[in-house]
């Protein structure tokens, strides 16, 4: 479905809560907005200032987005993260972007989490490292670089 906002037409999924938030149909605590994106505070934050970058157009995940818009999202992430670090005195920052249920995506609308990190904030965002053999790494490298 097409929706017009500020003279621009956007592809929108009428059943998508993030489409509704990004396009102003549902109130949010917006910290930034332009013609392509809305950045909101997460209602269930990992830390103080945890925000979400939401494109106004509906894309289920990174793979569905045009390359240019994905690049714009990363540029915006850098801009917002810099403000979070400065204004909230964050000691670091995690950018988290999940694609698919197996990766932890719970809303099928592309979004980036911007999570300011503070010394001793008690959060853990990580994984248990595996220990592949040299041969396994060589095989994976071959698989990824073959034509």
């Amino acid at each position: 479905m097409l929706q017009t906002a500020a003279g621009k037409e956007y592809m929108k999924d009428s059943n998508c809560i993030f489409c509704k938030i990004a396009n102003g149909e549902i109130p949010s605590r917006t910290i930034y907005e332009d013609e392509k994106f809305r950045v909101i505070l997460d209602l269930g934050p990992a830390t103080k200032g945890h925000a979400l970058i939401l494109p106004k157009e509906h894309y289920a995940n990174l793979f569905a987005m045009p390359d240019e818009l994905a690049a714009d999202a990363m540029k915006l992430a850098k801009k917002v993260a810099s403000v979070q670090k400065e204004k909230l005195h964050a000691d670091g920052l995690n950018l988290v972007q999940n694609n698919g249920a197996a990766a932890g995506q719970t809303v099928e609308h592309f979004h980036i989490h911007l999570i300011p990190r503070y010394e001793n904030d008690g959060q853990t965002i990580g994984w248990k490292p595996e220990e592949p053999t040299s041969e396994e790494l060589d095989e994976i490298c071959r698989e990824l670089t073959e034509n």
Side-chain angles (χ1 to χ4, degrees), residues 15-75:
N15 295 316
C16 175
I17 189 154
F18 279 1
C19 281
K20 292 175 182 177
I21 293 169
N23 289 285
E25 294 174 40
I26 294 176
S28 64
R29 289 181 174 84
T30 299
I31 60 172
Y32 177 86
E33 182 178 12
D34 64 23
E35 67 280 352
K36 297 177 187 173
F37 300 97
R38 182 182 297 258
V39 183
I40 65 168
L41 291 179
D42 194 305
L43 294 180
T47 63
K48 177 184 174 183
H50 179 169
L52 300 174
I53 295 177
L54 306 173
K56 291 183 176 181
E57 292 194 65
H58 183 79
Y59 300 100
N61 55 45
L62 178 66
F63 306 109
M65 290 181 74
D67 292 347
E68 184 177 311
L69 190 64
D72 290 343
M74 187 56 71
K75 290 174 190 174

